[in-house]
Amino acid sequence: MDSSEAVYNALKEAEIDFIVSLPCINLGKLLEMVECDPEIIHVPVTREEEGFGIAAGAYFGGKNTAILMQNSGLGNSVNVLASLYELYKIPILMIISHRGTQGEPIIAQIPMGKATPDILKVLKIPYFNPKTSEEAFKTIKKAWDMAKTNGSGVAILLEISYW
Amino acid sequence: MERIEAMKIITESLNDELLICNIGFPSRELYSVKDSNTHFYMLGSMGMASSIGLGLALSQNRRVVVFDGDGSILMNMGTLATIYNQNPENFILVVFDNECYGSTGSQCTYAKTVDLGKVAKAIGFEKTFCFRDTIEFEQILKLKGPVFVHVKVDPGNADVPIIDLSPEDIKNRFIHEINKNRSF
């Protein structure tokens, strides 16, 4: 089970059946697996905020929802996470490629990489940093259960070293 | 035509469609025109009505109508490309276009110079309609979606009270309504 398979297997285990996404180089293999899965409705979106909106509608329609995104998109999504997700208590599993972490080759990723955990904290969104495939597999299922119980987003931050 | 009048005409022709309504005065006006378990009133997250409606249309079979506005469409224009590509048959996007941000003091939007109907057509929407003085919504309901309905309305808001439902009540009764119908 490699790093992408671990996340995919955990999404299946959690019965996630509706995924919105924006790509990251580190999410490439996972996105292909999701796209090829006939049990998952996969909606590529133009902006993360829009993705959260679409996923909220899908949750109302009975789906178990997740977003696959890069941490840069968290900045685009602060208002929707507060004034839609927190306000109405809507769950979502946030699988986030955490750029700007150890080993980052692109300098522009550093500021948002540093800000990401603090933004989640301010929004009161619980998050986990699994370091290995085994840890990710276990944590993701738990995170979705927590999202449903809390009626909130729960984030999985996957740093560069994870992949 | 006033927006509340346009809402009245359209809601009279709806049966069991699920209706997502935009933030601010539009939701308050709809609530005062008619309240129903089939309504989801947005209280925040400006711009998200069209996206919420898309997700709902893709995840169940019932027809979804969105009441959106010109300012909100301009704020989340990318979602028009997503809607077109996802091509949901059960989706009708109604844009009440008063060429202004009506809930914040009627400041002008770029819809004054940018024709949102033309934008929808340029993206690829095959079924686009524009209404100004009359609205014939029955014909829209007969069509296979996605449908883009541009309704030009006067600026201004009706004198209507705020919505006295909690966000969780709005959500829970809406989900209950969706689930009720799913069982057969």
Side-chain angles (χ1 to χ4, degrees), chain B residues 20-39:
Chain B
I20 306 287
C21 190
N22 195 20
I23 177 181
F25 271 98
S27 268
R28 289 166 60 171
E29 289 177 2
L30 173 63
Y31 185 64
S32 80
V33 164
K34 187 192 176 188
D35 183 33
S36 163
N37 292 340
T38 59
H39 294 180

Side-chain angles (χ1 to χ4, degrees), chain A residues 1-162:
Chain A
M1 189 164 68
D2 73 15
S3 54
S4 299
E5 286 164 2
V7 177
Y8 175 76
N9 291 344
L11 291 171
K12 296 298 287 179
E13 188 81 4
E15 298 179 347
I16 297 295
D17 54 3
F18 193 102
I19 292 179
V20 295
S21 75
L22 268 149
C24 173
I25 189 79
N26 292 338
L27 296 172
K29 185 177 171 191
L30 177 59
L31 285 167
E32 276 175 30
M33 286 190 272
V34 164
E35 179 62 32
C36 291
D37 187 332
E39 290 174 350
I40 296 176
I41 296 176
H42 176 214
V43 183
V45 296
T46 64
R47 185 178 160 89
E48 294 79 1
E49 181 191 35
E50 176 206 7
F52 280 107
I54 293 169
Y59 170 73
F60 298 156
K63 297 294 183 188
N64 294 330
T65 55
I67 185 167
L68 307 184
M69 60 187 273
Q70 195 182 98
N71 63 304
S72 51
L74 186 62
N76 297 340
S77 310
V78 169
N79 185 54
V80 72
L81 283 166
S83 73
L84 183 64
Y85 276 75
E86 185 183 334
L87 189 70
Y88 290 92
K89 295 195 184 303
I90 298 169
I92 187 166
L93 183 58
M94 300 157 64
I95 305 289
I96 300 177
S97 163
H98 191 179
R99 300 291 300 269
T101 49
Q102 191 66 38
E104 175 62 58
I106 299 174
I107 192 168
Q109 294 280 11
I110 307 290
M112 195 61 197
K114 282 188 191 156
T116 294
D118 288 335
I119 294 172
L120 291 169
K121 272 181 213 153
V122 169
L123 291 170
K124 298 186 286 284
I125 294 174
Y127 64 91
F128 300 93
N129 304 79
K131 304 286 186 208
T132 64
S133 298
E134 290 70 26
E135 208 187 323
F137 179 74
K138 279 186 209 148
T139 310
I140 289 170
K141 168 77 169 74
K142 230 185 342 186
W144 173 241
D145 290 340
M146 184 189 274
K148 276 190 297 185
T149 308
N150 295 359
S152 82
V154 176
I156 306 292
L157 296 180
L158 300 167
E159 296 179 6
I160 290 174
S161 58
Y162 169 79

Side-chain angles (χ1 to χ4, degrees), chain A residues 49-50 53-54 61 83 88-89, chain B residues 41 43 45 79 82 167 171 182:
Chain A
E49 181 191 35
E50 176 206 7
I54 293 169
S83 73
Y88 290 92
K89 295 195 184 303
Chain B
Y41 305 105
L43 302 172
S45 64
T79 214
T82 310
K171 178 192 77 173
R182 196 199 302 280

Side-chain angles (χ1 to χ4, degrees), chain B residues 66-118:
Chain B
V66 174
F67 281 177
D68 214 340
D70 50 304
S72 296
I73 287 287
L74 288 166
M75 190 176 271
N76 184 23
M77 225 175 208
T79 214
L80 294 178
T82 310
I83 293 165
Y84 169 68
N85 277 276
Q86 293 296 319
N87 199 30
E89 290 183 4
N90 57 339
F91 185 72
I92 300 170
L93 178 57
V94 180
V95 180
F96 296 114
D97 179 358
N98 57 9
E99 300 179 4
C100 69
Y101 297 102
S103 296
T104 55
S106 293
Q107 299 87 352
C108 290
T109 68
Y110 290 136
K112 224 179 181 68
T113 48
V114 176
D115 183 335
L116 295 176
K118 280 190 188 161

Side-chain angles (χ1 to χ4, degrees), chain B residues 122-151:
Chain B
I123 284 172
F125 281 82
E126 285 169 13
K127 287 154 193 161
T128 65
F129 295 81
C130 187
F131 296 110
R132 199 171 288 267
D133 302 316
T134 58
I135 300 172
E136 288 164 35
F137 210 72
E138 278 83 5
Q139 55 160 330
I140 306 287
L141 291 169
K142 289 179 190 143
L143 298 171
K144 206 163 102 172
V147 188
F148 185 93
V149 184
H150 192 192
V151 184

